[in-house]
Amino acid sequence: MAKRLIYSRLSLSRLSAMGGPKNGRFLSTESKKIDEPFKVEEAETVNVPPPPSEKLLVLGGNGFVGSHICREALNRGLALASLSRSGGSSLHDSWAKNVTWHKGNLLSSDSWKEALDGVTSVISCIGGFGSNSYMYKINGTANINAIRAAADKGVKRFVYISAADFGFANYLLKGYYEGKRAAETELLTKFPYGGVILRPGFIHGTRTVGSMKLPLGIIGSPLEMVLQHAKPLNQLPLVGPLFTPPVNVTAVAKVAVRAATDPVFPPGIVDVYGIQRFSQQMSR
């Protein structure tokens, strides 16, 4: 609720009846003219809707990266939903109760598009491995479908978790990288001002597989510390991309959520060094 003040001018005759202003002249843009004062006649109560809240949809929120993104979003007080083929979290963590879970397949029907209702930003963690044709579908086609649907719904920002270029190693996973790059092209086309592509390399952290917890940081953390200061090696022909430093999953999650919700976060591609830089800025 808010008060809207309605103003009206006093006529010159009423001004004259009051004897004119006693504490000086009223300013006017015209010479030799006394401006008429304003008076509050009444205050009317009107219904003013609250400012729109941010609602984030995470595609693949029950996966390794997606679950960390969900936790980061909840820590920042965002309204959160997630879409996945299973429709829920298998982690049984307490934070999962604060997520609205949607079940759907981005490759099959349009029923999943209801998950976009009221959503202001999307983060996609959808990806996978297999045959070249399967990898293109899951990394490319599925994400392209999501990007187009989000654009049609008027979503403001879309963040896509892609992958760093590993040079000749890309040929071993041709369908994977071709799908990723096709999705990136679609995102930059549909969201030229609100599309952000994160390209991490190896993402480390504690990964839950069934009842087991895999501490990937044991390997990833030392490598990250060493390789983040060896950026020139990344420029070597053929083998250079293999020196791309790993990045912590927490850093990816922090930057992804910021990119999805901060209207001044620059659109475009953010490589692993950019992810590290933005994450360090947020930690200060």
Side-chain angles (χ1 to χ4, degrees):
M1 304 291 284
K3 296 289 185 181
R4 185 176 64 189
L5 301 180
I6 302 177
Y7 297 95
S8 64
R9 291 179 178 271
L10 290 176
S11 65
L12 286 173
S13 60
R14 292 177 62 188
L15 177 62
S16 300
M18 294 190 302
K22 297 180 180 181
N23 297 323
R25 292 171 57 87
F26 293 100
L27 297 178
S28 173
T29 57
E30 298 181 21
S31 61
K32 298 181 181 180
K33 181 179 180 182
I34 297 177
D35 217 359
E36 302 170 6
F38 286 92
K39 179 182 178 181
V40 177
E41 293 283 358
E42 61 178 311
E44 178 186 354
T45 300
V46 295
N47 292 322
V48 178
S53 59
E54 296 286 340
K55 181 179 180 181
L56 173 64
L57 175 66
V58 179
L59 305 179
N62 57 352
F64 172 48
V65 177
S67 61
H68 283 80
I69 289 175
C70 285
R71 278 179 280 195
E72 173 65 19
L74 291 172
N75 288 338
R76 294 185 59 178
L78 297 173
L80 181 63
S82 177
L83 173 73
S84 62
R85 285 180 294 179
S86 63
S89 174
S90 59
L91 301 177
H92 305 292
D93 291 334
S94 57
W95 61 264
K97 299 176 182 178
N98 298 316
V99 181
T100 301
W101 297 96
H102 298 277
K103 183 177 182 178
N105 187 341
L106 297 176
L107 292 172
S108 60
S109 66
D110 291 339
S111 61
W112 56 268
K113 293 182 180 180
E114 295 179 359
L116 288 167
D117 291 344
V119 168
T120 54
S121 55
V122 174
I123 300 176
S124 177
C125 310
I126 300 298
F129 297 93
S131 66
N132 280 324
S133 60
Y134 174 79
M135 287 191 292
Y136 186 89
K137 286 181 180 179
I138 197 68
N139 294 283
T141 306
N143 284 294
I144 290 172
N145 289 344
I147 291 165
R148 290 175 178 174
D152 291 341
K153 280 280 191 176
V155 171
K156 297 177 183 178
R157 301 184 68 83
F158 197 113
V159 179
Y160 176 45
I161 310 298
S162 188
D165 190 339
F166 281 99
F168 73 89
N170 292 14
Y171 292 101
L172 302 176
L173 299 168
K174 184 177 180 181
Y176 179 87
Y177 279 97
E178 287 183 350
K180 290 283 189 184
R181 300 303 175 248
E184 290 181 0
T185 300
E186 187 67 21
L187 179 58
L188 295 176
T189 300
K190 294 293 187 181
F191 289 87
Y193 304 109
V196 179
I197 297 163
L198 302 187
R199 284 185 177 177
F202 172 65
I203 302 176
H204 65 86
T206 301
R207 184 166 192 162
T208 302
V209 180
S211 59
M212 296 179 58
K213 292 186 180 294
L214 302 178
L216 303 179
I218 293 177
I219 299 175
S221 185
L223 283 175
E224 180 179 4
M225 292 181 64
V226 172
L227 294 179
Q228 68 178 331
H229 300 295
K231 189 174 181 179
L233 295 176
N234 191 249
Q235 307 302 317
L236 293 174
L238 297 178
V239 298
L242 296 178
F243 291 97
T244 299
V247 62
N248 191 286
V249 66
T250 302
V252 175
K254 286 181 178 294
V255 177
V257 174
R258 178 186 169 188
T261 57
D262 185 350
V264 301
F265 193 97
I269 298 172
V270 182
D271 63 11
V272 63
Y273 301 102
I275 294 172
Q276 291 174 331
R277 184 174 65 254
F278 280 119
S279 175
Q280 290 167 1
Q281 291 173 355
M282 296 171 67
S283 300
R284 292 172 184 170

